[in-house]
Amino acid sequence: MSTHTLAAPGMRGLQDRLWSAVTDRDEHAAASVVLSALDDGVDAESVLLDVIAPVQARVGTEWAANRLSVAQEHAASAIAERVIAALAHHPDVRTAPRLGRVTVACVDQEWHVLPARLLAEVLTLRGWRVDFLGAQVPTPHLIGHLHSNGADVVALSSSIPTRLPTAHAAITACQAVGVPVLAGGAAFGPDGRHARRLGADAWEPDARSAARRIADGIAVPAAGRQQIDDLPHLGDQEYTLVVRSRPQLVREVLAQLETRFPASAAYTEEQREHTAQDIAHVVDYLGVALYMDDDELFTDFLAWTAGILEARRVPAASLRPVLDVLGAELKDFPRTTRLLGRARTVLDAFPATAGPTTGAFG
């Protein structure tokens, strides 16, 4: 079957049809859009990266704007994964492996699997033998796989910045057994600065550039590097102490919330549970910002969270007492104090909202 790449209007038409199918939760219609495009001669890589990937990105954007529920977002993601599987099994796109071996995996606790799956399929289409290990791969299991099967490179994916300490451990462990690591995913920053800080051997922003980089070759890393060599500031123990104190910090914020944010007194039990989860996320992001010594990791998260809250008619000001309590509890930690102060400045930029608080933080 000859293949071609559609012009932009044609791709937008396919995206719109796929969007309608996934938001209607119609898996068969979604698969029909993708398989029909293949039958019409659109190349499989373009279908993956110029149709399925943009639709999935739109799902995330619509969820953030409160125009899709969590359940709708999960349903759309599940359909996307099954549609990718249908594409992969189409007889016209099968490619015999003729190149080297690549292991593709998400770091432990990272359940956003679609970016890694897209890369795995693109590499397979280009002739690589791919071991796709999927989501949430514990580092010891990843290293065990490398010992048993070998690899020319590990492509390590992470979308959530709070997984960066785990990614760091995975990167150094792979390198210790002589396998270079290409990092990818939103967690590593739009410019890859976190990948470089953690000592990854390469970083690329998308599947096409990652496939090209792997084809160009990535040098085997030198042995002997340890995690503390990349991040000497961890010697102050602030990261470790804050992370270990996470349960106590969440309890203390909850205990003081009604006094500092009176509207929370009317929360239901479910809303209080959601609030506790969101406070824990704040502490998690504070921890990873301390790990990386990067203020923007925390302030960007606070700005994003404030926007999410406002979209759900919860005032961004509800985050301020969380920062205040954390500041009081962690007042003896200089880097933490700096981070919390800069986060307050970010929240101050949001206009005061007098609307009803219809839910907890999340």
Side-chain angles (χ1 to χ4, degrees):
M1 178 181 70
S2 63
T3 62
H4 65 276
T5 301
L6 285 180
M11 285 297 180
R12 284 195 294 271
L14 289 174
Q15 291 170 15
D16 290 343
R17 289 168 55 202
L18 184 58
W19 172 257
S20 296
V22 298
T23 53
D24 287 341
R25 297 178 298 285
D26 190 335
E27 179 182 326
H28 293 290
S32 178
V33 172
V34 167
L35 298 180
S36 295
L38 293 176
D39 291 339
D40 290 339
V42 182
D43 68 277
E45 186 171 306
S46 295
V47 174
L48 287 166
L49 302 184
D50 300 325
V51 180
I52 297 173
V55 167
Q56 194 61 20
R58 184 178 173 186
V59 168
T61 299
E62 293 296 294
W63 170 83
N66 202 29
R67 291 189 288 266
L68 286 181
S69 68
V70 172
Q72 288 173 313
E73 184 271 334
H74 281 290
S77 298
I79 290 172
E81 289 188 30
R82 289 174 65 85
V83 166
I84 292 169
L87 180 150
H89 293 137
H90 193 287
D92 288 337
V93 303
R94 292 177 186 168
T95 305
R98 61 187 185 280
L99 302 174
R101 193 176 207 114
V102 180
T103 293
V104 179
C106 295
V107 301
D108 196 8
Q109 302 180 48
E110 177 58 72
W111 53 270
H112 292 87
V113 73
L114 192 67
R117 180 63 186 273
L118 289 169
L119 175 60
E121 296 303 334
V122 168
L123 291 171
T124 300
L125 288 169
R126 295 191 179 199
W128 292 90
R129 186 180 301 277
V130 177
D131 295 323
F132 176 58
L133 305 188
Q136 305 189 79
V137 181
T139 297
H141 295 183
L142 174 60
I143 299 306
H145 172 82
L146 296 177
H147 279 303
S148 299
N149 300 281
D152 296 296
V153 63
V154 169
L156 196 65
S157 177
S158 184
S159 295
I160 305 297
T162 51
R163 310 299 182 235
L164 286 172
T166 304
H168 196 190
I171 290 167
T172 54
C174 291
Q175 292 170 336
V177 298
V179 182
V181 177
L182 181 146
F188 295 102
D191 57 358
R193 66 183 183 275
H194 303 316
R196 290 188 290 274
R197 190 78 185 273
L198 299 181
D201 301 288
W203 167 86
E204 293 295 340
D206 55 55
R208 283 193 177 96
S209 58
R212 288 194 295 268
R213 183 70 179 84
I214 291 170
D216 289 341
I218 301 173
V220 176
R225 186 176 58 83
Q226 299 182 9
Q227 289 174 251
I228 194 66
D229 297 331
D230 301 317
L231 305 173
H233 57 267
L234 293 178
D236 67 12
Q237 296 294 301
E238 284 200 35
Y239 163 74
T240 301
L241 293 170
V242 168
V243 170
R244 286 179 179 173
S245 302
R246 179 181 185 264
Q248 301 95 298
L249 291 170
V250 173
R251 285 197 296 269
E252 190 60 34
V253 173
L254 280 174
Q256 298 189 36
L257 192 60
E258 287 189 15
T259 300
R260 293 174 177 265
F261 187 62
S264 67
Y267 283 178
T268 65
E269 187 60 32
E270 182 181 11
Q271 288 172 325
R272 287 186 63 81
E273 289 177 6
H274 289 167
T275 300
Q277 292 169 5
D278 291 329
I279 294 167
H281 289 323
V282 173
V283 178
D284 289 341
Y285 271 86
L286 178 61
V288 75
L290 289 168
Y291 188 88
M292 300 297 295
D293 199 31
D294 189 313
D295 292 4
E296 287 185 9
L297 272 172
F298 191 54
T299 57
D300 287 353
F301 166 73
L302 262 294
W304 177 83
T305 301
I308 296 291
L309 293 179
E310 294 284 347
R312 287 152 178 76
R313 301 179 67 206
V314 180
S318 61
L319 289 166
R320 185 61 185 257
V322 178
L323 301 182
D324 290 342
V325 175
L326 292 175
E329 293 296 309
L330 301 169
K331 62 182 182 298
D332 296 327
F333 293 50
R335 289 199 296 128
T336 304
T337 298
R338 182 196 74 211
L339 280 166
L340 292 169
R342 294 188 178 177
R344 291 188 190 96
T345 301
V346 168
L347 288 186
D348 288 344
F350 279 80
T353 303
T357 55
T358 57
F361 288 179

